[in-house]
Amino acid sequence: MSPSNLCEPKKNELHYQIGHFLAEDHFQQLSRLMNDHSVAKGSHLFWEGEPAEHLFFVKKGKIRITKSTDDGKDLILFYLQEGDFFGEFASYAPVQYSYDAVAVQNSEIGVIQQKELEQLISESGEFALQFIKWMSLMQRTTESKFRDLILYGKKGALASTLIRLTNSYGEPVEDGIYIRLKLSNSDLANMIGTSRESVNRMLAAFKEEGIIGYEKGHIVVRELSSLKRVVRCPDCPAEICRI
C-alpha cells in the first residue's frame, strides 16, 4: 500500500461546505467581508464563553472544535479543514461562543464580523436562502453525531467516528480505507466522551476481528460494513456522515 501525499489530507469532494451552497457571486460577496489572519499551531481563535462577534472561514490548515463538559473534560466536536465556515450565528440577543476553537496546524483564517454578515443576509434574499440551506445541513450533521453517541453507547460512538473519518479523510487502498488524519487514542476518546483506556480496548477488539488495521500509525478500516452494523447505519448521505 502506498497512498500518495500522506502528510496532508486529501481535498474533500463532498458537497457540504459553504462554497458548495452559495452561487459564485454570493461567495465572492462573502469573501470580500473577510479579514485574513494567520493562526499558529496550538493557538486559540476563541475560547468558550467569549462574546461571539465573529465568524470564521478556513482558507488553509485545520481547526479543532472542542466543548468542555461539566467534569472538566474536553469533547472534540469537529475537525475543520480548508473550505469550512463556522462560528455562533446570533439570533435575537447577543450570544457567546459555546465551544473552543484551536488551530492544530499553522492556519490561514478569514474572519468576518457578525454584524456584516447579518447585513449581507438582510440585503439579499437569495443569499439568505442559500445560507439557510447550508445551516440546515450543519444542524443535521451535529444531530446525527449525538444520535449515534446516545443510542449506541461508546462502541457505537467509536464505530460511527471511524465511519465518519473514512468519509472525511479516507483514501481507498488495496486492503481497505486509509484514514489520512492521524489521531491518537486520546483524540478518539475525546471525540466520543470516554477514556483512552476504553478506546484502547475497543480498537484492540476491532483489530482482532479484522475490522481495522494500522499503517505507519494511521488507521486502516478494512471492514466498513462491520462498523456500519454496530450502529445499524441508515446510510446517511456522506455530506452528513462526516467528522
Side-chain angles (χ1 to χ4, degrees), residues 14-24 26-27 126-127 129-138 140 239 242:
L14 303 180
H15 291 273
Y16 68 86
Q17 295 174 325
I18 187 72
H20 297 128
F21 283 77
L22 297 180
E24 184 176 353
H26 291 145
F27 185 76
E126 187 176 355
F127 180 97
L129 179 59
Q130 294 166 356
F131 193 82
I132 289 171
K133 288 181 178 179
W134 170 78
M135 286 187 64
S136 175
L137 181 63
M138 296 301 99
R140 291 175 64 194
E239 285 79 4
R242 62 182 183 84

Side-chain angles (χ1 to χ4, degrees), residues 146-158:
F146 286 110
R147 175 202 65 201
D148 292 344
L149 179 60
I150 293 171
L151 293 181
Y152 302 111
K154 303 305 182 186
K155 182 178 180 181
L158 179 58

